[in-house]
Amino acid sequence: MTRRLLPRFVRKRYAVKFVLALGLVTLAIAAVGGYSYLHANEVIGEETRDGLVTNAEIQAQNLDEWLTRMEVQMRSISESAAFQSGDDRDINLYLWSVVERDRDIDAAYYIDTRNETVLTSTGSASVASAESVTTYYGRQEFTALAQQSHGDVVISDPFRPSEGAAPVLLFATTIPERPNRAVIAVANLRDISETHLHDINAGRFVVVDAAGTVVLAEDESRLLETDALETTRYDSASGFVPGQSLGDSKTEVGFARMEAHDWVVTSRVPTGEAYALRTDILTQILATLFVVGAGAALLAATIGRDTVDAVRTLGSSARELTDGNLDVAIDRDREDEFGDLYEAFDVMRVSLRDQILDAERAREEAESARREAWDEKEASERRRRHLERTAEAYGEVMRACADGDLAERIDPDEESEAMAEVARSFNEMMADVQERNEQLRTVSNVLSHDLRNPLNVAVGRAELLADETESDHVEPLVESLDRIDAIIDDALVLALQRRVEDTLPVALSDVARRSWTHVDTGDATLVVDENPRFAADPDLAAHVFENLFRNSVEHGSTGSRIPSDDAVEHGSTGNRTVSGDAVEHDSTGSRIPSDDAVEHGDDGVTVTVGALGDARGFYVEDDGPGIPESDRASVLEPGYTTNRAGGGTGFGLPIVLQVADAHGWDLTLCESASGGARFELSDVERVGRDTDDAASLV
């Protein structure tokens, strides 16, 4: 596409393209250099402006801290014990110690503001004596400064106490509890400038007041002089003033206003020094462009011309070879890369006939290889179809075994040793599974018949013993026997239930209420929000609700609860001891609580059963403490329990999971709206809705 955009005379001449390419490269380098200069100019300008403003802000903050420290120092002096005593000798000694200790205070005065007299003073005579300060500054103004403080610290305008004296600044404050008494400290602005103005590269700091007078400066001669830069340029809290004519050259100025006093701190750098790097970059770019241009011209005059000649010669020889002239003479005297190319052309010319013959032979061999590949493809396709049929047959046997027909076996494939090995391994595994399944059924029979029969006898004997004697050991014995019976039920469910084949319509309210009576609920409360019907094995569904209710009661209640005389006393299994008329029996032997059968405690857990919204299924939740998210995977593992000392086996929730899997339901453990545990069983087949849709409370 690019070649079509070029004129024909350019496309046909390598020399023109070579010169054009060199020109474009030179132009591109110039463009990049120009862009680099503009970008560097912008970046350097921004960095210079930001640096000057930042320096001014930092210096303003330092001076704010200094003025704040001086105010604190003055309050501390006025509140000292020496001034409170009023003794002139103690005050003089204290002022002397302050001047000696604080290098920012050159002199200090204790004055009588009513009589406008200096009571005592101390400090450097080179700054100002008490007489010269009060005389030059004005006695009335001097005392008025102290009178204005009223307990605060006031700062004077900068001034020179006498001709040739150092410029100073006064800090004044009155003495608490001492009428007409004040203390004044003198700060030498020349020393303050040296101490508190920090140097910056190729620049300087100048601090001016609201009138434009230089207060602090590294150049002592500028102190108390009117600044050349008008204060109207400082129109914000901080900013930048570009290219100001200050003195003999232009200056870049960054400024920042102080917060503790009405001063402006300026950071000043000569423009030439501020943008020196920009000038260096421009010089380097121009030098680079000059070198590139000279190099391009030299390249075009030497290598370019030689290259063009070599290309023309090669082009002529190539056209001869294209026309079939294999006897064309090719110069092989050159020793550079073009000489190698000439030699390559000559070798190509000599070997071209041999290559043509080789190409014919290669074509015949390729045709033969193509036929062999086609035959191999057909054989591979036959093997693939055979493996698919074998895999399908294997899958049918595996699905039958998964559905419970453990007698099914795979016929090993005779054509594939790998598939035959898979069949033999599967058959061996299923034989072992079948043997272990028979062993498990034997153990289950022992649990359900051989162990339960003597257990029932023991339960009966225990009940007779409870009727015949009064002993504290009888009730724990009955509870332990009930717990053994529950463990047998759990073990049988875990051992035998794998898949549900036959289901019946089950009402959610019925199975929930019936299961509630089979659990020791204590002071717990059952709420049934909705009553849909769903397809399930009624006995296995009862195991789901009983174990979920037992989990909520055991882990959600605030403490052990003992029902009253008219309440149901629940054990851990279906065997229960009832007092009075608290329990009625239906035709199936299940226990249904009467109107007064359940006593609700104020602190018992509330268990709610209801239907899921759009999802097919139901939920069981409580308002207990809930299950931490980190433990939700562990509680569904067999044997995991946090109530081992209280008789927990760790089988309850794993049974819920196993029964859900047997029905093809999905079990989700999450948190209820009140923060308790919530178990959701979804993908449940609904078969209608019971007539009783009202919420029920047990």
Side-chain angles (χ1 to χ4, degrees):
M1 182 66 181
T2 304
R3 295 177 59 186
R4 294 179 181 176
L5 297 177
L6 297 175
R8 181 176 178 83
F9 78 93
V10 175
R11 296 200 304 268
K12 295 183 64 176
R13 291 172 176 82
Y14 178 80
V16 177
K17 289 190 287 186
F18 184 82
V19 173
L20 181 61
L22 286 178
L24 290 176
V25 169
T26 303
L27 182 61
I29 294 175
V32 171
Y35 172 79
S36 300
Y37 173 73
L38 294 177
H39 180 68
N41 183 35
E42 182 180 356
V43 171
I44 292 172
E46 291 180 357
E47 291 181 351
T48 300
R49 292 191 293 272
D50 294 343
L52 289 173
V53 174
T54 300
N55 288 336
E57 291 175 344
I58 294 174
Q59 186 61 63
Q61 182 179 0
N62 292 335
L63 291 177
D64 281 332
E65 293 176 356
W66 171 70
L67 289 177
T68 302
R69 186 187 68 80
M70 289 296 296
E71 292 179 359
V72 172
Q73 175 80 328
M74 293 300 297
R75 292 192 183 94
S76 176
I77 293 172
S78 66
E79 296 172 358
S80 65
F83 280 95
Q84 296 302 316
S85 68
D87 186 88
D88 291 345
R89 181 176 178 277
D90 292 343
I91 292 173
N92 184 266
L93 290 175
Y94 179 71
L95 289 178
W96 178 83
S97 66
V98 169
V99 173
E100 288 294 317
R101 183 175 64 251
D102 195 336
R103 63 178 182 178
D104 290 339
I105 299 178
D106 278 37
Y109 306 101
Y110 179 49
I111 66 172
D112 184 337
T113 58
R114 181 178 57 188
N115 298 328
E116 301 179 358
T117 59
V118 175
L119 302 178
T120 184
S121 65
T122 185
S124 173
S126 63
V127 175
S129 65
E131 182 179 357
S132 63
V133 170
T134 55
T135 300
Y136 185 86
Y137 189 68
R139 183 182 300 276
Q140 293 181 353
E141 289 83 355
F142 184 77
T143 55
L145 179 68
Q147 292 172 351
Q148 292 172 5
S149 62
H150 298 293
D152 293 331
V153 178
V154 295
I155 304 174
S156 72
D157 295 330
F159 68 97
R160 294 183 188 274
S162 60
E163 187 70 24
V168 297
L169 191 69
L170 302 183
F171 296 86
T173 185
T174 56
I175 307 299
E177 308 297 334
R178 305 288 296 175
N180 304 320
R181 295 292 187 270
V183 60
I184 294 180
V186 181
N188 187 340
L189 295 181
R190 179 180 57 197
D191 295 340
I192 297 301
S193 297
E194 294 177 356
T195 304
H196 294 283
L197 293 185
H198 302 292
D199 295 337
I200 57 176
N201 294 332
R204 58 191 179 277
F205 285 114
V206 176
V207 181
V208 299
D209 59 13
T213 302
V214 177
V215 179
L216 299 174
E218 297 174 274
D219 184 1
E220 181 182 355
S221 63
R222 302 195 59 183
L223 293 176
L224 302 188
E225 297 293 331
T226 300
D227 190 30
L229 184 62
E230 297 180 359
T231 57
T232 55
R233 302 304 301 270
Y234 311 133
D235 54 356
S236 60
S238 63
F240 176 77
V241 182
Q244 296 300 303
S245 297
L246 303 178
D248 298 335
S249 62
K250 287 190 175 182
T251 303
E252 306 298 317
V253 181
F255 68 88
R257 292 186 177 275
M258 293 176 53
E259 297 180 359
H261 204 55
D262 190 17
W263 291 351
V264 178
V265 178
T266 63
S267 175
R268 306 181 181 188
V269 177
T271 301
E273 297 177 4
Y275 299 107
L277 180 60
R278 180 175 62 185
T279 304
D280 293 342
I281 292 176
L282 177 60
T283 302
Q284 293 175 5
I285 290 176
L286 293 176
T288 301
L289 291 176
F290 176 77
V291 171
V292 169
L298 181 62
L299 183 64
T302 56
I303 298 177
R305 185 173 63 181
D306 186 61
T307 301
V308 169
D309 293 340
V311 169
R312 287 174 178 171
T313 301
L314 286 173
S316 176
S317 299
R319 285 191 291 272
E320 291 287 341
L321 292 175
T322 302
D323 294 337
N325 183 13
L326 300 180
D327 296 327
V328 62
I330 298 178
D331 184 13
R332 302 179 60 178
D333 295 335
R334 293 185 62 125
E335 297 181 355
D336 56 7
E337 287 79 1
F338 280 103
D340 296 337
L341 189 57
Y342 289 164
E343 184 176 358
F345 265 79
D346 193 39
V347 171
M348 179 181 65
R349 178 184 62 80
V350 172
S351 62
L352 188 56
R353 292 187 183 89
D354 296 337
Q355 292 178 4
I356 293 174
L357 294 176
D358 292 341
E360 286 294 328
R361 288 193 296 270
R363 185 185 63 79
E364 294 176 358
E365 292 174 358
E367 183 65 24
S368 177
R370 186 188 66 80
R371 288 192 296 269
E372 292 177 0
W374 182 259
D375 294 340
E376 180 61 27
K377 178 181 178 182
E378 291 184 345
S380 176
E381 182 66 20
R382 287 194 298 272
R383 288 193 297 271
R384 183 188 65 79
R385 290 194 295 269
H386 175 74
L387 287 176
E388 287 180 352
R389 290 193 296 270
T390 303
E392 183 178 357
Y394 282 17
E396 292 178 357
V397 174
M398 291 179 180
R399 284 191 293 273
C401 292
D403 292 336
D405 188 0
L406 303 181
E408 286 288 333
R409 295 293 183 269
I410 296 176
D411 294 332
D413 183 23
E414 297 179 354
E415 294 187 14
S416 174
E417 180 59 29
M419 295 297 288
E421 181 62 26
V422 170
R424 287 191 292 271
S425 298
F426 179 80
N427 292 338
E428 292 175 2
M429 178 187 69
M430 292 311 302
D432 184 60
V433 170
Q434 188 174 17
E435 180 181 355
R436 292 182 180 275
N437 191 55
E438 292 299 327
Q439 293 175 355
L440 187 59
R441 290 184 181 277
T442 301
V443 173
S444 300
N445 290 332
V446 171
L447 288 175
S448 61
H449 299 289
D450 297 346
L451 184 57
R452 177 159 280 163
N453 289 336
L455 178 62
N456 291 335
V457 174
V459 171
R461 293 289 186 178
E463 292 176 350
L464 292 176
L465 183 61
D467 295 337
E468 295 176 359
T469 182
E470 295 183 0
S471 174
D472 295 337
H473 300 291
V474 174
E475 184 175 354
L477 174 61
V478 173
E479 291 178 354
S480 297
L481 293 173
D482 286 346
R483 189 58 180 156
I484 292 172
D485 192 20
I487 292 173
I488 292 174
D489 286 343
D490 292 345
L492 289 175
V493 173
L494 286 173
L496 297 180
Q497 296 301 329
R498 289 294 182 268
R499 186 179 300 275
V500 175
E501 300 294 343
D502 298 325
T503 59
L504 296 174
V506 177
L508 179 63
S509 176
D510 293 344
V511 68
R513 293 177 180 176
R514 185 164 54 253
S515 300
W516 185 259
T517 64
H518 292 173
V519 178
D520 184 4
T521 57
D523 291 337
T525 302
L526 173 65
V527 176
V528 182
D529 283 343
E530 295 185 57
N531 191 26
R533 291 182 176 272
F534 57 94
D537 184 304
D539 293 333
L540 292 180
H543 277 289
V544 170
F545 286 95
E546 289 175 13
N547 283 288
L548 291 180
F549 291 160
R550 186 176 294 111
N551 178 77
S552 296
V553 171
E554 290 179 355
H555 298 284
S557 300
T558 59
S560 302
R561 295 167 176 80
I562 301 176
S564 63
D565 294 339
D566 294 334
V568 178
E569 180 182 347
H570 303 294
S572 60
T573 69
N575 299 326
R576 284 156 183 82
T577 304
V578 189
S579 62
D581 298 331
V583 177
E584 300 175 359
H585 300 274
D586 64 4
S587 60
T588 63
S590 302
R591 295 172 174 80
I592 307 298
S594 63
D595 294 339
D596 298 328
V598 177
E599 179 180 354
H600 305 292
D602 295 336
D603 57 351
V605 66
T606 297
V607 182
T608 304
V609 177
L612 296 177
D614 296 336
R616 298 182 305 170
F618 56 89
Y619 67 88
V620 177
E621 66 178 17
D622 59 56
D623 58 358
I627 300 175
E629 187 173 355
S630 59
D631 294 339
R632 291 176 185 173
S634 301
V635 299
L636 298 177
E637 297 177 358
Y640 178 87
T641 179
T642 59
N643 189 27
R644 187 77 64 184
T649 63
F651 291 151
L653 295 183
I655 286 177
V656 174
L657 177 60
Q658 183 165 322
V659 172
D661 290 340
H663 283 84
W665 302 340
D666 292 331
L667 174 62
T668 303
L669 174 54
C670 51
E671 184 177 300
S672 67
S674 61
R678 178 182 174 98
F679 296 86
E680 297 180 351
L681 289 103
S682 57
D683 202 17
V684 179
E685 180 183 358
R686 290 193 180 184
V687 293
R689 180 176 294 275
D690 197 8
T691 56
D692 182 13
D693 287 336
S696 60
L697 179 67
V698 177

